Amino acid sequence: MNAPASTALQQEIAQLIIDTLNLEDLTPADIPPEQPLFGQGLGLDSVDALELALALQKRYAIRIASDDKDARRHFATVASLAAFVETQQQAACAG
Amino acid sequence: MTAPTPANPADGLALRIEQWRAWAPGLEDVAAWQAWAAAPQMRPDAEQAQPACAFLPTMQRRRLSRLARMTMDVAWPLCGEHEQLPFVFGSRHGETPRTYALLGEIVDRQPLSPTQFGLSVHNAIAGQWSILRGQRGESVALAGEADTFEHAVLEGAMQLAAGASAALVVVAEESPHSAYADWITDVPFSYAVALRLGRVAPAEDAQDGSDWLLRLRSSAHAPAVPDAERCAWPHALDFLRALLVRESSLEHVWKTRQWNWQRTR
């Protein structure tokens, strides 16, 4: 495999996306860390984004402000979501 | 072209069952339904079995509830690829499982799932049908009492009377959560029945299907119907049974409404 191996957190988030959004027949391997989740990539839409934000908040005990201007960037890919979750968790521990 | 004539269920509505399709746990093809019609019996429904709906890609299947899958499974083949058909969705209890899940989240003080919330309304499945099949015509979502089936067929017959050459009627119910066991007693197992209704054409236009006259008699002062005279099966399933064993008539009574079905061809 030439693609960079995904981290444990990235795999976990890919699985969370599959479970939360009821993406039957897909496995985490079908959602590479750098593949865009919305639009031309996986094909998620705005309702999926809301659903996913809810699931991430529940699973990782983080807060995602609804007016966060960077949300679009955080939700771009599995990799960016994993980085966002890590940052939030570190911030929570430090605070 | 003659102008469509007004239809009145008291006079009797003539309609053709051009095609039918049904789903229940373990009853997924014509042979299985023929066997069920010959000897109607309970179906085990604890496993939450549901149609695969493999004709839809994963991304289009992701928001379909079990009830929606049952509806798509039975309705899908009855509508042609480039056909626009009026759509009638009838369900007495609708998306009760989604509502129950939402109520649980409220009790647990959890945020509500936007998907569950958005799709818990009664016309959600009709909307999904419209989106998935590119249907831009009329659609109706009905909830009645134990005779929801007849009301849905009546609505479909009205579409024919208003000029449609065919109409699609789906009645679907899902076994409710056990919390509802004391209140919901008319869903022995999950089922969906789809009928493609057409107009009754002259006899020489012989083709598949059967013709029926549906008549409604009602009496505001009718005595309550004894339980023994009520239909043992949901009306949609009982009609399907009569259709398959080629009964010439049947009567479904609910409260003051007496629905009489007469086979005319």
Side-chain angles (χ1 to χ4, degrees):
Chain A
M1 290 251 301
N2 293 327
S6 55
T7 67
L9 181 60
Q10 287 173 348
Q11 291 231 12
E12 197 175 289
I13 287 175
Q15 188 64 52
L16 182 75
I17 291 172
I18 290 167
D19 295 342
T20 304
L21 305 180
N22 191 28
L23 306 181
E24 289 179 311
D25 311 333
L26 290 197
T27 67
D30 296 320
I31 314 177
E34 303 296 340
Q35 183 195 52
L37 294 176
F38 295 86
Q40 289 304 303
L42 184 58
L44 302 185
D45 60 27
S46 58
V47 177
D48 293 313
L50 287 170
E51 201 72 48
L52 198 51
L54 206 64
L56 287 165
Q57 294 184 86
K58 273 187 189 170
R59 167 73 74 90
Y60 299 107
I62 57 174
R63 275 191 52 76
I64 302 171
S66 56
D67 58 351
D68 187 341
K69 291 184 180 58
D70 295 324
R72 190 176 286 269
R73 192 163 49 79
H74 297 321
F75 277 70
T77 65
V78 167
S80 64
L81 271 177
F84 173 65
V85 167
E86 272 176 347
T87 312
Q88 291 290 305
Q89 286 181 324
Q90 283 163 9
C93 290
Chain B
M1 282 282 293
T2 51
T5 47
N8 185 337
D11 300 334
L13 300 169
L15 52 93
R16 172 164 294 173
I17 307 293
E18 293 181 341
Q19 285 178 279
W20 65 272
R21 205 175 135 82
W23 184 93
L27 301 177
E28 305 196 18
D29 57 31
V30 174
W33 279 105
Q34 289 283 6
W36 186 86
Q41 53 185 302
M42 278 292 294
R43 300 297 311 169
D45 194 17
E47 304 291 325
Q48 294 283 300
Q50 61 179 4
C53 291
F55 45 80
L56 284 171
T58 297
M59 294 308 284
Q60 291 184 27
R61 247 184 289 150
R62 72 192 192 280
R63 286 187 191 137
L64 298 181
S65 65
R66 188 176 180 224
L67 193 68
R69 280 174 176 247
M70 287 160 46
T71 301
M72 297 303 156
D73 181 74
V74 295
W76 205 268
L78 301 195
C79 180
E81 187 124 359
H82 302 290
E83 199 173 30
Q84 294 284 327
L85 289 179
F87 184 75
V88 181
F89 174 76
S91 182
R92 186 181 194 184
H93 306 291
E95 293 276 21
T96 306
R98 278 202 204 268
T99 312
Y100 188 77
L102 289 170
L103 292 173
E105 285 172 348
I106 291 172
V107 169
D108 295 340
R109 296 181 179 277
Q110 291 293 320
L112 298 180
S113 153
T115 312
Q116 296 277 20
F117 183 76
L119 296 177
S120 62
V121 295
H122 202 59
N123 59 2
I125 291 176
Q128 289 178 317
W129 168 258
S130 162
I131 291 168
L132 293 174
R133 289 302 303 261
Q135 295 285 306
R136 299 176 301 278
E138 290 183 60
S139 71
V140 180
L142 293 176
E145 297 186 294
D147 54 350
T148 294
F149 170 66
E150 274 82 10
H151 283 105
V153 170
L154 172 60
E155 181 67 28
M158 292 299 177
Q159 295 284 358
L160 301 178
S165 58
L168 203 47
V169 175
V170 180
V171 170
E173 300 287 359
E174 187 176 0
S175 291
H177 189 277
S178 58
Y180 293 96
D182 288 347
W183 293 279
I184 299 180
T185 55
D186 61 345
V187 187
F189 50 84
S190 303
Y191 66 89
V193 175
L195 301 178
R196 185 188 158 106
L197 305 186
R199 299 193 204 190
V200 171
E204 61 267 25
D205 179 27
Q207 45 178 289
D208 291 342
S210 58
D211 294 347
W212 296 79
L213 194 67
L214 172 62
R215 189 180 289 127
L216 170 64
R217 275 171 299 173
S218 60
S219 161
H221 305 291
V225 180
D227 282 352
E229 287 178 29
R230 283 197 188 136
C231 186
W233 299 100
H235 291 191
L237 292 181
D238 192 55
F239 176 77
L240 187 60
R241 179 196 60 75
L243 185 75
L244 293 178
V245 301
R246 301 191 67 81
E247 264 175 24
S248 59
S249 70
L250 75 160
E251 187 144 281
H252 287 154
V253 182
W254 181 254
K255 292 188 176 168
T256 60
R257 299 186 289 277
Q258 300 174 34
W259 299 94
N260 181 264
W261 288 91
Q262 288 289 336
R263 192 173 186 138
T264 56
R265 184 182 70 98

